[in-house]
Amino acid sequence: MSMRYPSYMRKDFTGPDFFRVKMDFPDERVGDVEGEIRRRFREIGGGVKPGQTVAVGLGSRGIHGVDVMARALCRAISETGAVPFIVPAMGSHGGATPEGQEKILADLNITPDTCGARVEPSMSVERIGTVFDDIPVFFSKKALKAHHIVCLNRIKPHSKFKAPVESGIVKMLCVGLGKHQGAAEYHRGALKHGFYPLLKEMGKTILARTPFLGGIAVVENAHDRTMIIKAAGPGDLFEKEAALLLEARRHFPRLPFSRLDALIIQRAGKDISGAGMDPNVTGRAYDLMESDFSENLKATRVAVLDLTDKTAGNAIGVGNADIITEKVFEKMDHEKTLINALSSLSLRKAFIPVRMPSDRMAVQACFSTIGPVPEKQVRAVIIKDTLRVGEFLAAEALEAEIQKNPLARIQARGRLMFNERGGFKGLSER
């Protein structure tokens, strides 16, 4: 039977006028990424001998040009006469299966052919210690068999907690190379001991009891491009990562508003953020012991219109929205989402929000459920995803605020366009 909606839900809804806005964020970049990766490896790779094996930990996070970086790192290792092999360092991602994790790497163009190194996706782990007397520390068996371990990861603000060290090399060691079992133990233990205190103690144990050679740390600018590449060894990892996190925070792209009535996100996914959509942008984080991100933004309604292809059905994070489309629900792989939610103890992120049959109706539901606010006064923003907020659509109620911002430029004005099925097409500029 067909669903009946309130009479104010109009089939011809286009909302108020919107502006296309571009933010002039600084755009500092590394010119020769491949050369920089090779130079940084030489800083930490002096102890690598011909014939030795080097496990290269690579994750599933969105890093621009990660395939180029992975290839450069594997080649730099091979040039020493050593033998690199790739270990997926992504906890429970990919449905917590070897095949799933290998596919994630392949989708990132990281394969034996492109990198000249075999991929060892085994989920087997070994217990290498205990911290706080009750939390076991697990680590990849395949990585432990190598003579050396090198990790490559992006340094960025975390989507759960705030601390001197958040998302980066240390977390990849503790959670990523802990595989499914290690990731689950970390998140369970964090509810008792705290995310950062546990990360610190587990990290110290791993540095002391594994052949970790060093990490290649990447910081991206507000345009999602490589800005800094640094190397860190076991002795200075925490110190260097903390300094790079400050840089990452300083250049993190955020919307230039403190309050919105509606934030519409065109797509979410694990390749966008570990949380599906980054709370550092949305201001939304509801799970147990998660930090409050609402000082960045308070949005009355949040809607998600679609999932990325690369998330492969993992819809973790949609529970932090109020509204999704049927398209999101149909693309959702419930098993992958559930495994991610249970492993990270982020149950709320797997909740199913209100489902609307089209993009048009999802956007309209945001406007019509905030109370008696005239359409022209609704403070609404539409972004592609939480990685890309340098360009967005802003409702006319935000015009004065945008014009006062020295980094913001209004490029066009128009109405929202939808196709005959209610799919969002963009802005009808005039």
Side-chain angles (χ1 to χ4, degrees), residues 31-348:
D32 179 13
V33 169
E34 189 166 355
E36 191 70 4
I37 290 287
R38 295 162 75 92
R39 284 189 287 274
R40 295 306 179 186
F41 172 72
R42 288 196 290 271
E43 291 179 12
I44 58 175
V48 177
K49 307 298 181 187
Q52 292 184 330
T53 54
V54 181
V56 179
L58 296 169
S60 55
R61 292 290 190 270
I63 303 175
H64 180 76
V66 67
D67 56 334
V68 174
M69 296 180 188
R71 182 176 66 241
L73 179 55
C74 289
R75 286 181 178 175
I77 293 168
S78 296
E79 287 169 1
T80 69
V83 180
F85 65 92
I86 296 167
V87 179
M90 53 185 81
S92 62
H93 297 185
T97 68
E99 299 79 13
Q101 298 203 343
E102 191 169 16
K103 185 178 185 307
I104 287 175
L105 290 181
D107 288 344
L108 295 172
N109 197 33
I110 297 173
T111 68
D113 288 340
T114 59
C115 294
R118 71 184 189 273
V119 176
E120 295 283 3
S122 170
M123 298 297 290
S124 297
V125 292
E126 182 178 317
R127 182 170 177 163
I128 62 171
T130 303
V131 296
F132 293 124
D133 296 325
D134 61 346
I135 307 298
V137 180
F138 291 99
F139 202 79
S140 163
K141 277 188 177 181
K142 288 291 184 182
L144 285 171
K145 288 181 179 179
H147 292 95
H148 306 283
I149 299 169
V150 176
C151 291
L152 186 150
N153 202 13
R154 180 181 176 185
I155 309 298
K156 61 180 290 190
H158 201 273
S159 58
K160 274 182 176 287
F161 64 92
K162 298 173 185 176
V165 170
E166 296 178 15
S167 186
I169 303 296
V170 176
K171 183 169 177 285
M172 175 175 271
L173 289 169
C174 297
V175 180
L177 284 171
K179 300 290 184 172
H180 176 53
Q181 195 168 354
E185 291 293 346
Y186 170 73
H187 288 98
R188 274 198 293 267
L191 293 184
K192 179 178 180 181
H193 301 288
F195 288 108
Y196 177 64
L198 184 55
L199 188 73
K200 186 176 181 181
E201 291 306 307
M202 290 178 75
K204 286 161 59 177
T205 297
I206 290 168
L207 293 179
R209 300 183 185 181
T210 70
F212 177 70
L213 180 68
I216 306 295
V218 177
V219 177
E220 294 187 343
N221 64 22
H223 299 273
D224 193 31
R225 294 295 182 268
T226 305
M227 181 180 72
I228 300 171
I229 300 174
K230 294 288 186 183
D236 61 3
L237 179 61
F238 278 91
E239 178 185 352
K240 284 192 173 180
E241 189 166 324
L244 290 172
L245 179 60
L246 294 177
E247 286 297 310
R249 282 194 188 122
R250 194 160 67 88
H251 292 271
F252 191 88
R254 292 186 175 89
L255 291 167
F257 310 106
S258 59
R259 183 185 66 80
L260 291 175
D261 295 313
L263 174 62
I264 294 99
I265 301 168
Q266 290 180 249
R267 60 182 194 170
K270 291 292 290 185
D271 53 316
I272 302 297
S273 166
M277 49 185 187
D278 199 322
N280 291 285
V281 174
T282 67
R284 292 281 187 99
Y286 294 127
D287 272 312
L288 297 174
M289 287 189 67
E290 289 199 2
S291 299
D292 182 11
F293 292 85
S294 62
E295 79 253 14
N296 299 323
L297 176 68
K298 292 183 175 66
T300 305
R301 288 283 180 258
V302 173
V304 177
L305 306 185
D306 203 353
L307 295 179
T308 64
D309 292 335
K310 288 184 178 179
T311 200
N314 188 335
I316 197 74
V318 295
N320 282 352
D322 304 292
I323 298 160
I324 61 172
T325 60
E326 286 292 343
K327 179 168 47 180
V328 170
F329 184 74
E330 289 167 4
K331 287 186 177 182
M332 183 176 182
D333 184 315
H334 292 270
E335 184 176 356
K336 285 182 181 177
T337 307
L338 179 62
I339 288 171
N340 198 161
L342 293 175
S343 298
S344 62
L345 304 187
S346 297
L347 302 186
R348 171 65 186 254

Side-chain angles (χ1 to χ4, degrees), residues 361-380:
M361 294 193 75
V363 174
Q364 188 175 183
C366 288
F367 274 71
S368 61
T369 62
I370 58 172
V373 182
E375 205 170 81
K376 288 182 176 292
Q377 294 178 24
V378 175
R379 297 169 58 86

